[in-house]
Amino acid sequence: MSESHLQPSNSQPQTFAQKALARAAGLPAVEIGQVVDARPDVVLSHDNTAAIRRIWLQFGQERVVIPERLAITLDHAVPAPTTRHAQNHAEVRQFVAEQGIRHFWEVGRGICHQVLSEEAIVLPGQLILGADSHTTHFGWMGAFGAGIGRSEVAVLWATGELWLRVPESMRVVLEGELPLGVTAKDFALRLIGDLGADGGLYLSIEFAGDGIQRLSLASRMVLANMMAEFGAKTAYVPPDEKTYRYLAERLMKRKIQDARLGGNVEVTPAQDLGASGQPSIPNLQSFIFDLQSSALFPDPGAEYVATHVYRAEELEPYVACPHSVDNVVPLSQIAGTPVQQAFLGTCTNGRLEDIAAAAAVVRGRRVARGTRFIVIPASSQVLQAAMERGYIQTLVEAGAVIGVPGCGPCMGNHMGIPAPNEVTISSANRNFRGRMGTPEAEIYLASPAVVAASAVAGVIADPREVQGEGVKVEDED
Amino acid sequence: MHISGRVWKYGDNVNTDVIFPGKYTYTVTDRTEIARHALEDLDPDFAKKVQPGDIIVAGRNWGCGSSREQAATCLVYNGVAAVIAESFGRIFYRNALNNGLLAIACPAAARAIQPGETVEIDLSRHVIRCGAGEFAFPPLSPTIMGIVAAGGLVPYVQRKLAAAAP
């Protein structure tokens, strides 16, 4: 048998999306446009788990076929704001207990994408399908994450597999270093503003360039997360030492058997045999080695529908104006617009570095009269770290309101719903009409520093002007 | 297979939040109630006046945004027969077909069709007929046609599981 017969596509350079879906479908290689039956390593759902269960019951099964691959959080309306939400949560807990789902996180633990990242449930090179559009998030670590519908999750519970089309890919390159006060959020808004909310429709957005490697992991999450607003099927940031270390430390924290969801990629840390011949405790390096081995990288010369190159030094803070995420203007053009509410949080920008940026802006200042500042950490770990570092103290002293980790008012459930005709500036990913509850409110999207500066100014404001200088925030990874 | 219906026409980037607001996603479970909120924040007349068999025609990126399946099922529960658009948000596209709602990407037809007119979709010939003429669209894959013909992904998979059972 010739070598080319064994690995038929080795001569054809492959995108990340091709490699990841080939692995998930158990095929040596796949073509762009091919439809495959993929077996995801992780199937994510949240408050919608109860509704998915009702669909799944139509299959007449007693047990889901892949309980070890299910990951469920309660995050979208937590703690329950109404009796109906509480009933919904109760149904989810009942399902989790019945099916023996181990990867379940309760009210207050945090937003699904943040929690799964912190717990190292998804690993580089894996496939995660989630009943949440922002499942593109897991591109931060070089995993293939795609959002799907409730019926599709029910089918995965029943069969373990789902059809996926291998997408075309777009390459987005960031070169250089972002100026002080310019963030990954600004880069994402600029890209979506330039190419439109459907600029990445059906595509795998594969990031590259030294500017991307310079970003903190939290900032990489922002990029991958925001690609849902670009229409993308998935997003990809090449993993590096920083990625492996972050995940390895978290894998170490969990029991070794928890490190495996029974997926396509085995992460089995090598056990060094000590002088006594007894296995020693697995070390960080062995986890790092295994993560490196499972990571996937696009080949040079892989096929892209387009390549867009940005110079980081040429970027500035941007704001997405109502009611579309591609309605993007430079911050300077919109500064001075009065806001009644500033909201910092969500799976896009509710992490420690975001809260650190906000604390740096508001330190020694007060939230403006007539404006409220709502801060909701993305997870309980983020909240704890923000407390330990004094950021929460600083924010509360400035007059901010701290909410329970979760999605907060992002999709109009509770904890910061604006009144009609009010204006909110938000660190979230969506400013659709009606998103936060009422179609008569306006939502502007910006980076956490801009949200914080606007909270203290009472109008959309540049943090560099509020502070009189740039805000330098330490890398919090 | 022929579908003929009266047209409701909308623009670009109509997102899932205006099709079915997020505030209802975890509490509204009844079909009639889901149907009543369809397109609430875009066109409050829609749910009151839509007739079974009606067709939605839209611009680019119809259904962008959330994964919430009610953005498709709220149309199904109102009897909407098909959505013709220049392009679709990808999760909406899957959700529509998975619930037996025809989603046809046909930019030329989507631009030419006028609000209120009656259009015809001929699935066997892959053409849309309207006042401005006839427009071809790419045939749907056998898998997708199978899902739509079965009435959606769940009945489709039910049949597959039943066929595979000993």
Side-chain angles (χ1 to χ4, degrees):
Chain A
M1 221 184 277
S2 72
E3 198 181 327
S4 64
H5 180 75
L6 280 169
Q7 291 181 307
S9 72
N10 254 7
S11 56
Q12 291 291 326
Q14 306 265 304
T15 61
F16 161 75
Q18 283 175 282
K19 290 186 180 183
L21 291 184
R23 180 184 277 179
L27 298 170
V30 295
E31 301 294 329
I32 291 165
Q34 187 176 338
V35 174
V36 299
D37 287 321
R39 302 186 74 81
D41 300 278
V42 182
V43 179
L44 163 70
S45 56
H46 42 66
D47 298 34
N48 53 22
T49 303
I52 295 165
R53 177 174 170 269
R54 288 191 286 273
I55 300 170
W56 171 75
L57 286 174
Q58 296 177 47
F59 295 113
Q61 291 178 341
E62 280 182 17
R63 313 286 301 169
V64 299
V65 300
I66 45 162
E68 72 284 1
R69 294 196 193 187
L70 266 54
I72 298 169
T73 58
L74 290 176
D75 61 1
H76 269 57
V78 294
T82 69
T83 306
R84 291 186 83 169
H85 286 94
Q87 283 172 322
N88 182 60
H89 290 169
E91 276 184 59
V92 177
R93 291 188 192 102
Q94 191 191 333
F95 171 77
V96 165
E98 276 169 11
Q99 299 296 324
I101 309 292
R102 292 171 66 202
H103 295 299
F104 169 66
W105 292 276
E106 261 292 353
V107 165
R109 174 65 185 87
I111 307 173
C112 54
H113 308 302
Q114 177 67 19
V115 174
L116 265 63
S117 298
E118 287 172 356
E119 301 277 348
I121 296 298
V122 187
L123 301 172
Q126 289 193 332
L127 172 65
I128 171 168
L129 297 178
D132 188 283
S133 56
H134 292 105
T135 309
T136 57
H137 186 92
F138 297 93
W140 76 265
M141 64 166 79
F144 190 112
I148 55 172
R150 293 175 177 184
S151 294
E152 296 183 304
V153 172
V155 164
L156 282 168
W157 290 0
T159 69
E161 64 178 35
L162 188 67
W163 69 272
L164 288 180
R165 182 182 170 279
V166 182
E168 288 80 8
S169 297
M170 176 192 281
R171 196 156 172 267
V172 177
V173 182
L174 182 66
E175 290 173 347
E177 192 165 4
L178 290 169
L180 213 54
V182 181
T183 67
K185 179 64 158 288
D186 298 302
F187 177 39
L189 289 176
R190 171 69 188 270
L191 178 66
I192 296 167
D194 283 356
L195 299 177
D198 59 351
L201 203 55
Y202 305 120
L203 301 177
S204 167
I205 308 301
E206 306 195 359
F207 288 99
D210 64 298
I212 298 294
Q213 298 311 123
R214 281 196 174 91
L215 295 177
S216 68
L217 298 181
S219 292
R220 298 177 195 184
M221 293 181 195
V222 177
L223 279 188
N225 184 287
M226 283 296 291
M227 290 305 98
E229 308 312 316
F230 196 40
K233 180 171 195 147
T234 195
Y236 168 81
V237 176
D240 60 13
E241 287 310 312
K242 236 186 317 194
T243 320
Y244 305 134
R245 181 160 290 277
Y246 174 97
L247 291 168
E249 283 170 0
R250 278 150 186 83
L251 283 169
M252 289 279 284
K253 275 187 196 163
R254 293 204 277 125
K255 290 181 179 173
I256 292 165
Q257 62 263 40
D258 282 2
R260 272 182 271 162
L261 270 179
N264 300 310
V265 182
E266 292 282 310
V267 174
T268 314
Q271 292 197 322
D272 299 327
L273 288 182
S276 62
Q278 296 299 312
S280 61
I281 296 165
N283 59 37
L284 195 67
Q285 206 51 48
S286 68
F287 278 97
I288 290 174
F289 177 79
D290 286 327
L291 289 163
Q292 280 171 331
S293 317
S294 70
L296 294 174
F297 298 89
D299 293 323
E303 190 184 333
Y304 291 97
V305 292
T307 295
H308 297 278
V309 182
Y310 284 86
R311 287 288 316 161
E313 289 81 0
E314 290 166 8
L315 300 176
E316 56 182 304
Y318 301 96
V319 175
C321 301
H323 296 281
S324 176
V325 70
D326 58 2
N327 190 10
V328 174
V329 298
L331 170 65
S332 53
Q333 236 181 67
I334 198 78
T337 305
V339 295
Q340 286 75 50
Q341 176 166 286
F343 168 44
L344 177 72
T346 79
C347 55
T348 313
N349 274 122
R351 275 171 285 281
L352 190 59
E353 74 171 16
D354 304 322
I355 293 172
V361 171
V362 306
R363 185 163 292 124
R365 293 179 175 77
R366 288 287 303 172
V367 172
R369 214 178 170 78
T371 303
R372 30 192 208 275
F373 187 18
I374 294 163
V375 177
I376 302 187
S379 77
S380 56
Q381 289 186 7
V382 169
L383 174 59
Q384 270 181 296
M387 285 194 297
E388 282 162 15
R389 287 164 172 75
Y391 303 150
I392 298 296
Q393 181 80 18
T394 301
L395 287 163
V396 172
E397 274 170 9
V401 179
I402 310 297
V404 176
C407 303
C410 180
M411 84 305 300
N413 277 299
H414 66 154
M415 296 210 296
I417 305 298
N421 304 314
E422 283 191 333
V423 175
T424 296
I425 186 155
S426 164
S427 71
N429 39 40
R430 288 199 176 129
N431 60 348
F432 299 154
R433 186 185 288 283
R435 175 73 182 170
M436 294 180 78
T438 167
E440 287 145 71
E442 293 195 328
I443 308 167
Y444 291 82
L445 304 177
S447 76
V450 172
V451 169
S454 306
V456 296
V459 296
I460 295 178
D462 191 325
R464 296 170 297 190
E465 282 167 22
V466 168
Q467 283 224 317
E469 60 187 63
V471 180
K472 177 70 183 156
V473 176
E474 295 292 309
D475 191 340
E476 295 278 7
D477 294 331
Chain B
M1 195 174 165
H2 279 260
I3 290 167
S4 174
R6 190 180 53 128
V7 166
W8 294 78
K9 188 156 185 187
Y10 300 104
D12 293 338
N13 295 318
V14 173
N15 64 71
T16 47
D17 278 296
V18 295
I19 301 174
F20 189 83
K23 60 191 169 192
Y24 305 129
T25 47
Y26 307 111
T27 52
V28 174
T29 52
D30 173 70
R31 288 171 73 110
T32 317
E33 211 184 332
I34 288 173
R36 202 183 310 135
H37 292 298
L39 288 166
E40 184 173 277
D41 284 346
L42 178 70
D43 181 355
D45 274 349
F46 177 82
K48 292 177 201 139
K49 296 184 179 164
V50 64
Q51 295 293 321
D54 284 0
I55 290 171
I56 289 173
V57 178
R60 285 157 47 190
N61 209 17
W62 168 274
C64 58
S66 169
S67 66
R68 81 182 60 120
E69 203 157 298
Q70 299 97 315
T73 56
C74 72
L75 305 179
V76 173
Y77 299 161
N78 275 307
V80 171
V83 185
I84 299 167
E86 290 183 46
S87 61
F88 290 92
R90 56 164 290 277
I91 310 180
F92 177 91
Y93 183 75
R94 293 180 73 104
N95 283 341
L97 297 167
N98 286 336
N99 284 281
L101 173 65
L102 264 179
I104 297 172
C106 185
R111 283 191 282 264
I113 294 168
Q114 297 302 308
E117 72 166 311
T118 297
V119 301
E120 200 182 323
I121 302 167
D122 182 340
L123 277 171
S124 45
R125 288 180 52 235
H126 325 297
V127 292
I128 294 166
R129 262 189 297 280
C130 64
E134 221 176 60
F135 299 89
F137 60 88
L140 300 172
S141 79
T143 309
I144 291 176
M145 276 313 296
I147 291 170
V148 173
L153 182 67
V154 170
Y156 179 78
V157 172
Q158 276 172 332
R159 276 181 213 178
K160 268 177 60 175
L161 288 173

